[in-house]
Amino acid sequence: MLENVTKVDLNMEYLIQFQLNIMTVIILLVIYAMMRIRTEVESFANQILQSTIWVTIIALIVDPLSWVFDGKLFFGSFFLEYSTNFMIVIAPSVLGGLMLSYVDYYIFKDRRRIFKRLYYFQPAALTLTLLIVNMFYPIFFSVNPQTHGYSNGDFYWISYVIIGAMYIYMFFFIIKYRKQTFAYVSRLFIFFFLLPIIGMIIQIFEPRLEFSWGMVTLAIFVVYVFLETTTGERDHLTKLYSRQSYEKYVNQLIETEKDFYIVLIDLDNFKGINDQHGHLKGDQVLVGFSRILEKVFHPNTMVSRLAGDEFMIVVENHMLIDDASHMIYNYIQKSDDPDLKQVKFSYGAKDYQKDMTIDQLYLSVDRKMYEHKHNEE
């Protein structure tokens, strides 16, 4: 009975000691869930941030476990104590690489840059190499084979030097490329890196204060709120994808070198509807036409409203645009809205060719659309 009470008291002590870690993990899981639920067009930057969240969650779980296993004598406790401290040492450099990859991609929008730079994991590779050496000579830490107790190695400070060098590089990277993005974004990125540095410095001087990973979590939260959270993914009126979503999606397809083509559709007589029946009726026609586009094009296509009466469809399958055009006209004729039945449209289609930019692709399909419009007149 006394043994059971002791175990309960010990578990409660752990719970109290690491309650900050528990709450921080919960916050990160909430952020991750929000990203998965609210983001309909996932960018490469979003994927990197999600990976950053998971690395932080793992570190937050492993960190208290290293304290729990310290000095415990049961089967496998030596391995658990050693492996948890192993992960604690390498996690910050992995996290730093992901953070810098996020900033790099956000500025340049080029995933190939990230691949070529190996996700900035060179410091993590160096740390891993030293951790392998650590198994034979305690550079970072050692675990006593008899007592399973942890102790710092002779050169534990090297891990802080590696992390510190990464953050210094990050700072100069942001300063160097600050003109390639908005000023507020540059300031936000500096804040993004500054928070973990503050947490690391506090924990160096006072190890009992678990500020380091909490600050990383705060940095992730700030970036998510200001850079990843957006209400602009859907067009407010038609609920189709917005121009912003279209551009993000096409850039994603270009970066991954996938085959696709785009279709630009423009309503020919929409101005007359607005002039004759008013903008409210014009809005109703736009909504009705948008619903038709959603019916005609398959689920693996993106239908977006660029502006006004201009629509863009991104197609990754082999659907023929002439067949789609006939289907649109058939749906228009079946509409209960007499004004929608009067709608005519012009379209142009253009397949993506290697090394085309999104602007070149748009200009090409725009010319084809106007050629079609003039031929129909």
Side-chain angles (χ1 to χ4, degrees):
M1 181 70 178
L2 181 60
E3 183 180 350
N4 291 335
V5 172
T6 303
K7 288 183 178 178
V8 171
D9 291 342
L10 184 60
N11 290 335
M12 184 59 67
E13 182 181 340
Y14 285 144
L15 185 64
I16 294 171
Q17 182 178 358
F18 302 116
Q19 58 182 312
L20 180 60
N21 291 58
I22 296 170
M23 289 303 301
T24 307
V25 168
I26 293 173
I27 291 171
L28 286 170
L29 289 173
V30 170
I31 295 173
Y32 178 78
M34 290 172 64
M35 292 178 72
R36 299 294 298 176
I37 293 170
R38 299 181 63 180
T39 303
E40 300 189 62
V41 182
E42 189 173 81
S43 68
F44 188 56
N46 195 278
Q47 294 170 9
I48 295 174
L49 195 60
Q50 290 179 25
S51 299
T52 305
I53 289 174
W54 281 114
V55 171
T56 308
I57 288 175
I58 292 171
L60 282 162
I61 294 173
V62 168
D63 192 30
L65 288 178
S66 68
W67 291 81
V68 172
F69 298 137
D70 187 19
K72 298 297 187 297
L73 298 172
F74 60 86
F75 179 75
S77 61
F78 174 83
F79 171 77
L80 291 171
E81 175 62 11
Y82 196 96
S83 59
T84 51
N85 281 284
F86 187 102
M87 287 188 281
I88 288 171
V89 173
I90 198 170
S93 54
V94 173
L95 186 67
L98 288 170
M99 292 171 72
L100 187 51
S101 297
Y102 177 85
V103 173
D104 188 301
Y105 182 79
Y106 197 94
I107 293 174
F108 293 100
K109 298 293 186 298
D110 184 359
R111 71 168 63 198
R112 287 175 294 186
R113 274 181 56 92
I114 309 301
F115 295 156
K116 289 179 180 178
R117 286 159 179 75
L118 302 175
Y119 285 84
Y120 293 95
F121 280 165
Q122 293 86 348
L126 173 60
T127 304
L128 178 61
T129 302
L130 293 175
L131 279 168
I132 294 173
V133 176
N134 189 84
M135 295 178 181
F136 308 97
Y137 180 83
I139 297 174
F140 296 124
F141 67 90
S142 63
V143 177
N144 189 294
Q146 284 74 42
T147 64
H148 297 182
Y150 168 90
S151 59
N152 286 334
D154 296 334
F155 303 98
Y156 188 79
W157 52 269
I158 292 178
S159 63
Y160 290 113
V161 171
I162 293 173
I163 300 168
M166 286 188 71
Y167 283 115
I168 292 172
Y169 176 83
M170 293 175 187
F171 176 78
F172 284 105
F173 181 90
I174 296 170
I175 297 299
K176 181 179 180 180
Y177 297 110
R178 67 187 184 280
K179 293 183 179 179
Q180 296 188 224
T181 187
F182 296 108
Y184 83 91
V185 173
S186 297
R187 289 193 292 267
L188 192 64
F189 282 148
I190 291 175
F191 189 65
F192 184 42
F193 293 135
L194 189 60
L195 285 173
I197 292 174
I198 293 173
M200 183 178 69
I201 293 173
I202 292 174
Q203 199 155 337
I204 288 174
F205 290 100
E206 186 48 73
R208 292 174 297 178
L209 295 177
E210 297 290 335
F211 267 90
S212 182
W213 297 110
M215 287 294 195
V216 171
T217 300
L218 181 57
I220 291 172
F221 176 75
V222 168
V223 166
Y224 170 69
V225 169
F226 288 99
L227 297 183
E228 292 297 321
T229 304
T230 175
T231 58
E233 291 194 343
R234 291 279 182 172
D235 177 61
H236 178 71
L237 175 64
T238 64
K239 301 301 184 283
L240 296 177
Y241 286 106
S242 65
R243 187 181 194 119
Q244 175 187 353
S245 294
Y246 153 75
E247 292 178 349
K248 183 189 294 186
Y249 186 58
V250 170
N251 277 323
Q252 187 87 345
L253 294 176
I254 291 174
E255 291 165 6
T256 53
E257 299 181 346
K258 290 186 177 180
D259 294 327
F260 69 97
Y261 67 93
I262 61 173
V263 181
L264 179 62
I265 296 178
D266 183 79
L267 302 186
D268 295 335
N269 55 339
F270 182 71
K271 185 177 184 300
I273 294 174
N274 270 335
D275 293 342
Q276 185 177 353
H277 301 287
H279 289 283
L280 179 59
K281 185 60 186 178
D283 287 348
Q284 293 172 352
V285 169
L286 286 175
V287 171
F289 188 77
S290 299
R291 298 290 80 80
I292 290 174
L293 292 179
E294 287 185 322
K295 291 177 183 177
V296 170
F297 291 94
H298 297 298
N300 60 335
T301 61
M302 167 182 269
V303 184
S304 58
R305 181 190 180 204
L306 298 188
D309 59 341
E310 193 174 65
F311 300 87
M312 184 73 82
I313 300 95
V314 183
V315 185
E316 292 186 64
N317 54 37
H318 299 290
M319 186 177 189
L320 297 176
I321 183 57
D322 290 335
D323 293 342
S325 174
H326 291 310
M327 292 174 65
I328 293 172
Y329 273 118
N330 288 336
Y331 274 114
I332 288 175
Q333 295 308 310
K334 293 177 183 177
S335 173
D336 295 329
D337 187 339
D339 295 301
L340 181 55
K341 285 185 176 181
Q342 304 303 315
V343 166
K344 297 184 183 301
F345 63 91
S346 301
Y347 66 88
K350 175 63 181 176
D351 59 313
Y352 169 72
Q353 297 175 356
K354 189 176 181 181
D355 296 329
M356 288 182 73
T357 66
I358 189 172
D359 291 330
Q360 291 171 335
L361 188 60
Y362 176 83
L363 290 173
S364 180
V365 77
D366 188 59
R367 283 194 297 269
K368 288 182 175 293
M369 187 272 293
Y370 275 104
E371 289 173 6
H372 181 264
K373 185 186 292 284
H374 294 317
N375 291 335
E376 292 294 314
E377 290 178 353

